[in-house]
Amino acid sequence: MNRQFAMVGASCLLLLAIGGGVAWRGLSTSQAEVESAADDGDGERLPVPPVPPRIAEGPDYERCLNMLVPDPAGAASFAETWQAKGGGDGATHCLALSKIALGNPADGAAMLETLAASSHAPNLARATLYGQATQAWLMTGDEQHAFDAATQALALSPDDADLLIDRATAASNLDRYQDAIGDLTHALDTDPRRADALTLRGAAWRHIGELDHAQDDIDRALTLDPDNADALLERGIIRQRHNDRAGARTDWERAVKLAPDTPTADLAQQNLALLEAGPDQR
């Protein structure tokens, strides 16, 4: 069986608490992972997308957003009651985020897109809503919806590196590697020190057979961030393509050590297993 080595994933979601909201960046999970997290018996919750810049203001909005991480079900109940009393954009936004946190990213994404289209908020706030929808669609595995939402966001904020990276993630998952390279190049023109953009662009270059360009980008990513597990995963794939089995094994083992229990580690483990199985099993 001609099984290929797995590519670098869309990467892992990162949840960081900041002030009255949360930052939610990085790459996507599959719908199976979303459902698994939502149903996890130990009470683990899904991450929620970033909130600033705010679509609304006021104590009810702040209260609802602050509930999203510790009590997403409570945030949903609060938002529904508030919405029924005329809570407006703030209530709708919080309700959409709570749906994502509770394991319904498709419903949340659709609500965010509708809100972004109808809101009279400034362009940057509306771009944030479309960006949140993009991330939620990526969580569901609906790459076309993610790409379209990111395109709407970029129409409002064309030089936002995070939005460019998100659209490139969707484009790569649609096998539109040249489109991904274009967006990632734009993102790197805006912020040359984005190791995540370099890693994704390196993977895209590899998929179209440009291994020299891929190697350059991955080397740059690891110079900026030597412990970047995604870049190590990708460098291992490139090394394997060059028949450097020992180098590939070293990179994949280190990726597993640096990012245990993540999709990146899973891909590295799969590649290690294929490496040990030998060429006839790949």
Side-chain angles (χ1 to χ4, degrees), residues 10 27-31 133-151 166-176:
L27 310 175
S28 67
T29 57
S30 69
Q31 179 62 34
T134 299
Q135 294 251 313
W137 286 125
L138 286 171
M139 291 172 71
T140 73
D142 190 334
E143 314 299 343
Q144 188 60 59
H145 267 114
F147 185 91
D148 293 342
T151 299
D166 284 346
R167 187 168 70 173
T169 298
S172 291
N173 292 340
L174 291 166
D175 297 335
R176 295 170 57 173

Side-chain angles (χ1 to χ4, degrees), residues 85-213:
K85 296 178 179 178
D89 287 358
T92 302
H93 186 208
C94 190
L95 182 59
L97 297 182
S98 71
K99 287 183 178 294
I100 295 168
L102 289 169
N104 299 301
D107 290 345
M111 287 181 63
L112 289 166
E113 287 193 86
T114 299
L115 177 59
S118 63
S119 175
H120 297 292
N123 282 354
L124 286 179
R126 293 175 59 225
T128 295
L129 295 178
Y130 280 120
Q132 292 169 343
T134 299
Q135 294 251 313
W137 286 125
L138 286 171
M139 291 172 71
T140 73
D142 190 334
E143 314 299 343
Q144 188 60 59
H145 267 114
F147 185 91
D148 293 342
T151 299
Q152 294 276 18
L154 286 163
L156 298 168
S157 183
D159 296 321
D160 187 303
D162 287 324
L163 294 174
L164 288 161
I165 291 168
D166 284 346
R167 187 168 70 173
T169 298
S172 291
N173 292 340
L174 291 166
D175 297 335
R176 295 170 57 173
Y177 298 113
Q178 291 287 5
D179 289 338
I181 288 166
D183 277 344
L184 293 164
T185 299
H186 187 174
L188 287 162
D189 287 342
T190 302
D191 185 354
R193 297 186 63 81
R194 291 294 295 260
D196 53 347
L198 286 163
T199 301
L200 286 169
R201 193 173 68 173
W205 282 125
R206 173 175 61 78
H207 272 279
I208 62 172
E210 297 285 350
L211 291 186
D212 288 343
H213 286 317

